Amino acid sequence: MTVEADRARSRSAAPESHPPHALPGEHPALVGEASVSVDCSTGVGPMSRMWTSFGYDEINWTYTPTGKQTLTKIGGFGDRPYHVRPHYVFCSGTGFGLPHWGNGNVYHEDADGNPSYDFAIADQVYDAIVGAGHHPLVELAFTPLDLVPEEAKREFPFENSPTAYSGYEAGWWSYPPKDYARWGELVAALATHCLERYGAQEVSQWLWELWNEPDIFYWRGTPEQFYELYDVTSRAIRQVLPEARVGGPTVTGGSRGVPFLRGFLAHCAESGAALDFVSFHTKGSAFRPWRVYGPLGAPAPERQSPSTLKMLREVRRLLDVVGEFPQYADLPCVVDECDASVPAHWGVYDNANFGYRNTEYYAVFQAKLMKKLHDLNAVSPAQVSHATTWSFYFEGERYFEGTRALVTTSGIDKPVLNAYRMFARLGDERLAATSSASWPLSALDDAGTGMAEEVDVLATRDDDGQVSVLVWRHVDDQYATAEGPTAVTVRLENVPADVAGFDVDHWRIDHDHSNAHTVWQGLGAPQGPTPEQVAAIRERAGLERHESPRRVTVAGARVELSTDLPLPSVSLFVLTPVR
């Protein structure tokens, strides 16, 4: 069956095996047991490490003590380098970071209009990323103050205020640069500097990308102006780094993103501009309202949750656009903001719906999302190579503020970071695996705003025969409750004849495991915890075992495991063969 035919079948077929539950809004527990089967004899392709990427707005926090600590922590458990994408490297400023703002302060002109470059801040950023074992995804943005066109200051007026910096931070940076030649020289200067500082071998691993979300307010020019700027940018990069991987256009998953992406690809096909990857974004929700001005800790005016369905629909729509251009269909698609909700820098005190970011719910959501994106790749004309979480950390926040961050105050890991620890333990080859209670991709166009409750599975193996099985229970409703856990049976079928048994490690993220937030709540949610309390929270912040290691015996080429999954939760079984 062709990819196109398989994709059409996936969309048009009736759901094969809806689990016995309702759509979000009505959430009975799953009826009976869920049965998971893993076929150890059937590989279904490589296990893409699409999760090995993260990014953030606050570029100046990259090189703070907590920033460096977090980069090093991820480098320590990651099974390969991550690509790290900060905003604002070309923006002007003092190097002082704020939530949703930062600056690399590279470009300057003297009184006679002669340009000069200052890489002091950029060096600290990329030194921290490379020093932790990662590779930059260099977002070439936005317009420096000395390249802002004069009309920006007329069209985007600003009144001085002690609560805001200037019209530049307010929006002048989003205008096309007034001199595209100077912009090209700036891009080439950064590429040259990075080549000299980090060497060709390191820089060959970097990705270079123009701008961010030019289909919305981040770009106050026309699409045609952006396409021209891309031509200038890609030429400048390739003149310095002939083998560099250059791409874009980083559009949103909304209604403006589709025509902008289509126009961009048509332009590149006509102009012959270098294009090595296609990038776009998706978000699972934008809570209404984003901010609630009321007493601290007030409940949300309307209960809302992130939607896996929304994200998958947006990604599929943009993959289809890439598939319209045969010359680009084989390019990697980088979803370099792939997040459950926006914005990153607001939390539970802005809107209580952001509370999921503190809990096990978010960790399980990420596990489910990564698996569904792999499923989507199997029936799409183009392939997602990276699914970037736009998450890092925030200076000055309270404990468990609810921001979209990997760690909270004092560098304490949030449960979501443990999902990435689980991903790092997966093997390089995906195995055929099914669940009796999974939500099928063929139901993607069914009515509903969120994915219904499911138990699903992702299984892999390594070259040495180690099998890893990720299994979870989740629903796109952070407020859903269930009377009890679901009993899940995991069967490994067609185990190789030379394997007599497996040593089993079982890791778990749920309310009571791998969950610093639960421990903090149990201590009374202190905002000034004692050193002893901080130590107790840290002790439970990492990935925890659900049971002691044990050995199981193969019988009839089969192994059977069992576990109970509360809602929400995710388990990782790592089975090392005994021959």
Side-chain angles (χ1 to χ4, degrees), residues 90 107 142-151 172-184 186 210-211 219 221 225-226 229 232-233:
F90 285 161
Y107 184 86
F142 297 95
T143 299
L145 178 59
D146 286 341
L147 285 178
V148 169
E150 288 303 314
E151 62 265 23
W172 295 349
W173 53 265
S174 60
Y175 281 79
K178 65 183 179 183
D179 189 326
Y180 276 26
R182 290 277 174 95
W183 173 272
L186 167 61
L210 175 64
W211 222 259
W219 175 258
Q225 287 174 305
F226 180 85
L229 190 65
V232 171
T233 302

Side-chain angles (χ1 to χ4, degrees), residues 302-320:
E302 176 188 353
R303 287 188 168 189
Q304 301 167 67
S305 295
S307 170
T308 315
L309 286 183
K310 177 181 182 295
M311 298 179 73
L312 293 174
R313 288 166 180 163
E314 289 179 351
V315 171
R316 184 186 65 183
R317 183 165 60 236
L318 292 161
L319 290 175
D320 285 351

Side-chain angles (χ1 to χ4, degrees), residues 314-365:
E314 289 179 351
V315 171
R316 184 186 65 183
R317 183 165 60 236
L318 292 161
L319 290 175
D320 285 351
V321 173
V322 179
E324 295 172 10
F325 297 84
Q327 65 270 54
Y328 299 135
D330 292 333
L331 294 183
C333 292
V334 179
V335 191
D336 52 9
E337 291 186 27
C338 188
D339 298 301
S341 66
V342 290
H345 60 301
W346 290 344
V348 294
Y349 302 103
D350 298 290
N351 185 320
N353 287 311
F354 289 118
Y356 79 89
R357 294 170 170 177
N358 288 328
T359 74
E360 68 277 9
Y361 179 92
Y362 192 19
V364 188
F365 184 98

Side-chain angles (χ1 to χ4, degrees), residues 512-543:
D512 299 317
H513 297 85
S514 313
N515 199 327
H517 182 250
T518 299
V519 178
W520 175 73
Q521 285 185 315
L523 293 171
Q527 286 299 343
T530 65
E532 293 76 17
Q533 288 175 320
V534 171
I537 297 168
R538 287 188 186 280
E539 185 178 0
R540 302 293 307 284
L543 187 60

Side-chain angles (χ1 to χ4, degrees), residues 19-21 29-36 435-438 454-455 473 485-491 560-565:
H21 50 64
L30 289 168
V31 176
E33 295 184 346
S35 178
V36 168
S435 169
S436 63
S438 66
E454 70 164 9
V455 172
R473 182 184 180 196
T486 292
V488 180
T489 301
V490 179
R491 295 183 178 88
E560 186 171 295
L561 307 169
S562 61
T563 191
D564 290 335
L565 289 178

